[in-house]
Amino acid sequence: MDRATGRSLFVPRTQEPLLRLAASPADEVPADLSEVRRRVVSELAAAGVGTLPEPRFDALNTLILKLTKACNYGCTYCYDYEPTDRATHLDVELALKTVGEALELCEGWLQLIFHGGEPFLMFDHIERIVLFAEEEAARCGKRIIFNGQTNLSRLNDDNVRFSIEHGIHWGFSLDGPPQRNDTFRVLRNGTGTHDHFLEALRRYPEFVRNCGVSATITAANHDDLLGVSRYFRDCGLSGWDWTLFQPIGRARSSDEMDFDVGRLIVSWNELFDAVAAGEFDGFAVKPVLKYVDNLVLGPGQNMCMRKDCGAARDLMSVSSDGQLEACDCIDRTGPLAGLGHASTTSLAQARQSETAQRIRSRDTTRSKCDDCIWLAVCGGSCLAYAPGLHEVYEKECQVALNAFDRVTADLARSDRLLRYRQSCYERAPVAAATG
């Protein structure tokens, strides 16, 4: 594997001495082996290993609009709501201003993500923003893509119709079957929310099944990923993704909700075995598929799994109070928060702020990542979860090490995972649920 680009190839174990020869400086190779080394280096180069420049990700392509802090749910692990917060709403004029700036900054296309709180509480603003963004994108000669994250509880004929007509791809949050979901994803009175999903599925089955679903991994579901995956598949969904529990917001300093990484890895391996055996062909199990994708494609598509993470690069976020952030998952009480206010700071200025430049300076090679073969395709864990700028979130690291080892071992034996991957993308692509 090329540690800069993430490009890789498989060779027989018997060829390891030739790889070591290729890795040796040319002026240190004996004359009788220099031609052999040249041929090996040439063959590696043909596969993109050792010759391509390290990819750069500098242009803005994604803007998150956190339209409101309000939500009709009271999930006990909500990362976005601190005990001292109040239900602020993003001023629609500020949202329009920022969308216009993002379209000017982007190169060719922009993904606009509606987020909250619960964004459907502000659907009149969504309608106005979408119409403005479509018109402005056409004026700039650029493409606009709409995504969003919802809890599905506020669907009605009008907002479903508008979403379909304007191509808004919604993701929703659900943690699995009722006994898994209703532990922490609850209303303010503690009542579970799973019934709201079932009602949305009953009323708008095609719409809901075309949404992406994301499960937050907590102590309630960390040991049953296979059961969660089977449940989503049996509901007729096209795939699912995960988000690891983050102890900020309502869950700050809470231990009871956090997952056990050892049990999660055992559970992930059980899920992986089922995927590799063909149980989920045509169903996008993204907790597995994202590792396969990065190995096959190299880093880039997933901005959370590369050395240069998306924060303050291809991604920017506008909070409900108008504050500009590098990523909506960065702790807003921490040292990496706050790049300016949208009323007085442009996106371009925010991206050049001292804090943004500090975020982009992150270098996980100062940590244990320096000796890790997977760095290019892993990224060194999520900055928002890491204890320090150049540090690694240990739990995510352990999950990734296990996953990449399992995936590569399987790919070395057969093309079964590649055929699984193809079966997922033969269907309409499932947009990643964000948040």
Side-chain angles (χ1 to χ4, degrees):
M1 173 173 285
D2 188 316
R3 294 186 75 245
T5 67
R7 296 294 296 270
S8 60
L9 71 160
F10 288 94
V11 297
R13 183 182 295 274
T14 55
Q15 302 301 307
E16 182 177 350
L18 291 179
L19 295 179
R20 294 187 180 279
L21 179 65
S24 302
D27 57 1
E28 295 181 9
V29 174
D32 59 333
L33 294 178
S34 60
E35 176 59 22
V36 176
R37 179 188 181 279
R38 188 198 64 77
R39 290 202 308 269
V40 174
V41 169
S42 178
E43 290 182 21
L44 292 174
V49 175
T51 58
L52 298 177
E54 185 171 353
R56 303 299 304 172
F57 307 97
D58 297 319
L60 179 72
N61 61 40
T62 301
L63 178 67
I64 300 174
L65 294 179
K66 299 185 77 67
L67 298 174
T68 179
K69 183 76 73 169
C71 185
N72 56 327
Y73 283 11
C75 302
T76 51
Y77 54 60
C78 179
Y79 75 95
D80 196 52
Y81 204 97
E82 299 288 343
T84 57
D85 281 344
R86 58 188 181 88
T88 53
H89 311 298
L90 179 60
D91 181 86
V92 69
E93 296 298 334
L94 278 184
L96 298 179
K97 168 184 176 289
T98 310
V99 170
E101 292 171 352
L103 282 166
E104 291 292 339
L105 287 172
C106 73
E107 297 180 354
W109 62 277
L110 177 71
Q111 175 181 213
L112 191 59
I113 300 176
F114 299 112
H115 214 282
E118 174 47 51
F120 271 65
L121 295 172
M122 309 294 291
F123 207 85
D124 57 335
H125 286 189
I126 291 175
E127 292 174 333
R128 186 174 170 190
I129 293 166
V130 166
L131 296 176
F132 168 82
E134 288 175 337
E135 182 178 341
E136 191 68 7
R139 184 189 67 79
C140 297
K142 295 177 179 177
R143 181 182 173 216
I144 188 80
I145 303 165
F146 301 110
N147 286 294
Q149 190 73 3
T150 177
N151 59 32
L152 295 179
S153 67
R154 307 286 293 191
L155 298 186
N156 59 44
D157 292 350
D158 290 338
N159 55 42
V160 167
R161 184 184 309 110
F162 184 88
S163 295
I164 293 171
E165 289 175 350
H166 294 271
I168 308 175
H169 186 282
W170 290 99
F172 66 94
S173 303
L174 192 75
D175 296 343
Q179 68 273 22
R180 303 291 180 180
N181 181 81
D182 290 350
T183 303
F184 301 126
R185 191 174 288 279
V186 296
L187 302 177
R188 290 189 183 87
N189 63 6
T191 304
T193 59
H194 189 272
D195 285 347
H196 291 277
F197 160 68
L198 293 180
E199 177 63 12
L201 185 61
R202 183 190 68 79
R203 294 179 62 202
Y204 304 102
E206 184 176 2
F207 180 82
V208 171
R209 287 180 175 130
N210 281 326
C211 294
V213 58
S214 178
T216 299
I217 302 304
T218 66
N221 58 9
H222 61 176
D223 57 356
D224 191 28
L225 298 185
L226 180 57
V228 169
S229 194
R230 285 170 172 166
Y231 180 74
F232 290 145
R233 178 200 59 194
D234 295 345
C235 285
L237 304 176
S238 56
W240 73 287
D241 204 347
W242 70 1
T243 300
L244 299 180
F245 168 79
Q246 188 176 9
I248 62 174
R250 282 199 179 104
R252 194 176 294 278
S253 302
S254 173
D255 295 327
E256 66 180 36
M257 304 177 206
D258 205 357
F259 61 91
D260 178 271
V261 68
R263 295 174 72 178
L264 178 61
I265 289 173
V266 170
S267 182
W268 189 94
N269 284 335
E270 182 182 28
L271 176 61
F272 176 81
D273 289 340
V275 169
E279 178 177 341
F280 293 103
D281 284 1
F283 180 78
V285 182
K286 291 206 166 184
V288 172
L289 193 57
K290 63 176 61 180
Y291 297 103
V292 180
D293 278 347
N294 257 31
L295 280 168
V296 172
L297 301 175
Q301 189 176 40
N302 188 326
M303 65 175 63
C304 299
M305 291 178 64
R306 64 185 197 216
K307 287 193 294 182
D308 293 339
C309 86
R313 281 192 176 86
D314 22 359
L315 171 69
M316 288 289 288
S317 179
V318 190
S319 295
S320 59
D321 59 1
Q323 289 292 327
L324 299 173
E325 302 289 349
C327 171
D328 79 311
C329 292
I330 288 178
D331 187 353
R332 293 195 67 203
T333 69
L336 301 180
L339 308 184
H341 194 276
S343 62
T344 56
T345 305
S346 69
L347 277 181
Q349 290 169 332
R351 283 161 53 82
Q352 293 307 313
S353 66
E354 182 178 344
T355 301
Q357 293 182 55
R358 184 165 176 248
I359 288 170
R360 290 194 297 270
S361 75
R362 188 188 193 211
D363 181 7
T364 54
T365 62
R366 299 186 188 184
S367 70
K368 59 189 287 187
C369 297
D370 188 42
D371 297 322
C372 182
I373 189 176
W374 306 123
L375 177 59
V377 291
C378 167
S381 81
C382 177
L383 168 64
Y385 290 73
L389 181 63
H390 305 297
E391 298 179 64
V392 169
Y393 175 44
E394 185 60 33
K395 287 186 175 182
E396 185 182 358
C397 174
Q398 291 181 44
V399 171
L401 289 175
N402 172 77
F404 283 121
D405 283 349
R406 291 297 314 274
V407 169
T408 49
D410 196 274
L411 288 173
R413 288 192 298 266
S414 77
D415 66 350
R416 184 66 190 82
L417 276 181
L418 296 179
R419 287 186 281 121
Y420 164 70
R421 179 178 178 273
Q422 182 63 31
S423 76
C424 295
Y425 293 120
E426 285 171 351
R427 301 182 60 172
V430 181
T434 308

